[in-house]
Amino acid sequence: MKISIITPNYNYEKYLPELLKSVALQDYPDIEHVIVDDGSTDNSVSVIETFVRQYPNRFKLIQQANAGQSAALNTALKAVSGDLIVWINSDDYFTENIFKKIARFFTENPHVDIMYGDINFVDLESQFIFTHRNQSFRYSEAALLGFTMFLSSNAVVWRSNLMKNLIGFRADLKCNMDGEFYSRLFYKNTFSYQSLAIA
């Protein structure tokens, strides 16, 4: 089961090494990480290219003129080839060896379309503060209160075949583009909360 990671990046040179290292050191072999640089003016591209050279089968860099986060995410979605998709931003990183657990869950639960878990909060020195437990919810609850009340974007993993009948992120929205996307992704699909700190 191949896992595709999508990351939009704009001027996050400072944080990229920790994210990319967290992907490079995962013990799960079948991972692709598509990073779309959205016209950065810092040294982001050089940082990403270093990892692409070291791990050419794991990282893919796409560069485009600045068009915003949603446009970058949509570019990444068009480039992935995995069975599962997870989105993480440039200033976050994955917990150690989490992808083996994610792949096992989807293999053992073929009826589940989407899995979501928890995230760890850290300080500026990457020291652990606490684990944020995302809540189990019903679709009607999230539609009323907002999907981002229950979900963290970098802790949602979904089967790529869901994208066949789903447009990507709405580039016309200036806020809540993630909540709006999840309202469509989760609609009439099966989902499961798992007590796993993904990032």
Side-chain angles (χ1 to χ4, degrees), residues 42-71:
D42 64 1
N43 290 318
S44 289
V45 169
S46 296
V47 172
I48 300 165
E49 286 178 337
T50 298
F51 281 84
V52 171
R53 285 192 297 270
Q54 286 184 289
Y55 307 93
N57 296 323
R58 184 155 288 200
F59 295 100
K60 179 180 182 180
L61 168 64
I62 300 173
Q63 294 176 256
Q64 66 181 30
N66 183 257
Q69 185 181 35
S70 292

Side-chain angles (χ1 to χ4, degrees), residues 73-128:
L73 285 166
N74 290 336
T75 297
L77 284 172
K78 293 174 184 175
V80 298
S81 60
D83 305 292
L84 305 172
I85 301 174
V86 57
W87 157 30
I88 191 167
N89 288 319
S90 301
D91 57 345
D92 296 308
Y93 58 90
F94 291 109
T95 55
E96 185 177 355
N97 298 332
I98 189 63
F99 290 105
K100 185 179 290 184
K101 298 173 184 177
I102 292 171
R104 183 185 305 122
F105 171 81
F106 279 99
T107 299
E108 294 175 352
N109 297 275
H111 63 288
V112 176
D113 299 312
I114 307 163
M115 185 205 83
Y116 65 100
D118 304 322
I119 59 169
N120 290 331
F121 277 78
V122 298
D123 61 21
L124 294 176
E125 282 73 46
S126 297
Q127 297 301 308
F128 174 80

Side-chain angles (χ1 to χ4, degrees), residues 1-5 28-33 57 79-85 103 158 160:
M1 185 167 282
K2 185 175 184 178
I3 300 175
S4 295
I5 306 161
Y28 189 73
D30 208 358
I31 300 172
E32 66 171 0
H33 189 179
N57 296 323
V80 298
S81 60
D83 305 292
L84 305 172
I85 301 174
W158 65 93
S160 59

